Amino acid sequence: MTAPLHEERPPRAGRALPDTQQGMRRRNLARVMHAVSAEGSLSRAAAASRIGLTRAAVSTLVDDLIRWGLLEELGPERPGRVGRPGSALAVSGRGPAGIGAEIGVDHLAVCVVDLRGEVRARAVRHGVNRGRAAGPVTEELTVLIHRVVAEAQEAELWPAGLAVAVPGLVARDARTVVRAPNLDWHDTDLGRLLPGDWPLAVDNEANFGALAELWLGAGTPGDFLHVSAEIGIGAAVVVDGRLLRGTRGFAGELGHVPVRPEGPSCPCGSRGCLEQYAGEEAVLRAAGLEPREDLVGLLAERAEAGDEAVRAALRDAGTALGIALTGAVNLLDPETVVLGGALAGLSPWLLPSLETELTGRTAGPACPVTVSPLGSQGPLLGAAHSVVRAVLDDPAVVAERA
């Protein structure tokens, strides 16, 4: 049976609930959690009204959610409301939390996000991972994971799962990196190499970046094309609030769309790929600069100072990006294009030439381009929040793991 083309979250981050009495109860638990999470605080009566259940039914659900440590009572609601004041409910700042991790070409990062969506711990290691075997890289990542987990445990948080963003193609088992050209990894089972104490989901960094934009962005529509860049360039397509993954889960490889077929060779095996013109290293080469730790900061600093070589390199990168995006926009007709990752920090110098290409080449009206406020933090936050969303979508899993 062919896997579905759309998924709201990475594989294994959640599961479909059966159409049984137990399944209905689990869905109602999720509805209560989402209602309280969306409002910040809510009484039982208000929650019952919001989701269309009786107050008695909601009270029973709330009692379980409090017992499992997912909700907490804040005390009586503020005065001024009609009737007897109820006790306000809020999502707990203790208990289960999401661990997000990112394996980048030049860094490793880990964070812990609680059910309220707040980052409670973070650790980063800068250093080149390209060409290194997966074993040593994941050993270093594991050290960072245990460090932030220990910090979170001091705040009475425990890991509900681990989600890892990687710059490559990930199989639908949500653990095997099929191919990551910029790391030189092939058919790498991260499930064997990472801590096995918690549920694991591995996904492409652009997918996690798009999910972060969908969940955390202000006014982000349900249909958009998310483009992010570091050393490589990735994209993710969101349709009706869900990721478009493709048959094998490989949709969104914008960085390996050829923009000049006769161009330089790419680590993916092709020639003239977008990454060879708009990736961080490509822009540095075009600008005649030597790499350093903060590549985006260096480029932005030089461009802001009026360095014409840097500005010309960024204009050319924007042109190449616009050419590649034109094909995607003509094919998919998204409501907007969102720039994230390094592209967000360099947008003042990329956007003019990018938008010129989009306007001149798009068959229909010009597609608007916006810049993500999450920037390079998107993939890491998306990974952590995917675990949090899985708990909100099925709170009963917490009781099962207790």
Side-chain angles (χ1 to χ4, degrees), residues 234-295:
V237 183
V238 176
V239 180
D240 292 332
R242 305 171 73 186
L243 281 175
L244 175 68
R245 292 188 174 275
T247 301
R248 294 168 297 171
F250 298 166
E253 284 298 298
L254 186 72
H256 298 292
V257 170
V259 293
R260 296 187 180 95
E262 74 288 352
S265 60
C266 179
C268 75
S270 185
R271 301 185 67 87
C273 294
L274 175 61
E275 283 186 5
Q276 300 307 305
Y277 299 95
E280 285 181 359
E281 291 183 344
V283 175
L284 281 176
R285 286 195 303 269
L289 297 177
E290 292 296 322
R292 73 177 195 191
E293 186 172 292
D294 183 9
L295 301 183

Side-chain angles (χ1 to χ4, degrees), residues 358-383:
L358 270 182
T359 300
R361 296 174 181 269
T362 304
C367 182
V369 182
T370 61
V371 179
S372 171
L374 302 176
S376 60
Q377 298 300 309
L380 181 63
L381 291 175

Side-chain angles (χ1 to χ4, degrees), residues 9 55 90 101-102 121 127 139-140 152 160 172 197 219 221 302 304 348 350 354 368 375 377:
R9 47 190 174 269
R55 181 169 179 175
E102 182 181 13
E139 285 176 7
E140 293 182 3
R172 281 192 169 270
D197 305 328
R302 292 294 187 90
E304 184 71 39
L350 290 169
L354 187 161
Q377 298 300 309

Side-chain angles (χ1 to χ4, degrees), residues 217-231:
T220 303
D223 295 85
F224 65 95
L225 175 62
H226 183 270
V227 185
S228 62
E230 302 298 337
I231 304 301

Side-chain angles (χ1 to χ4, degrees), residues 72-93:
E72 59 186 23
E73 293 188 287
L74 303 179
E77 291 180 302
R78 63 182 183 273
R81 299 195 177 190
V82 177
R84 187 177 65 183
S87 181
L89 302 166
V91 175
S92 177

Side-chain angles (χ1 to χ4, degrees), residues 79-169:
R81 299 195 177 190
V82 177
R84 187 177 65 183
S87 181
L89 302 166
V91 175
S92 177
R94 297 171 293 180
I99 310 174
E102 182 181 13
I103 299 174
V105 176
D106 58 2
H107 71 281
L108 299 173
V110 183
C111 76
V112 175
V113 171
D114 65 21
L115 294 187
R116 295 176 176 176
E118 298 175 3
V119 176
R120 303 291 293 274
R122 186 192 300 265
V124 179
R125 181 197 67 76
H126 294 284
V128 176
N129 295 317
R130 173 181 285 154
R132 299 180 66 204
V137 173
T138 53
E139 285 176 7
E140 293 182 3
L141 185 66
T142 299
V143 171
L144 297 183
I145 290 170
H146 287 307
R147 183 190 304 171
V148 298
V149 167
E151 185 176 340
Q153 287 173 338
E154 293 178 0
E156 299 183 67
L157 294 165
W158 55 267
L162 168 64
V164 183
V166 297
L169 303 177

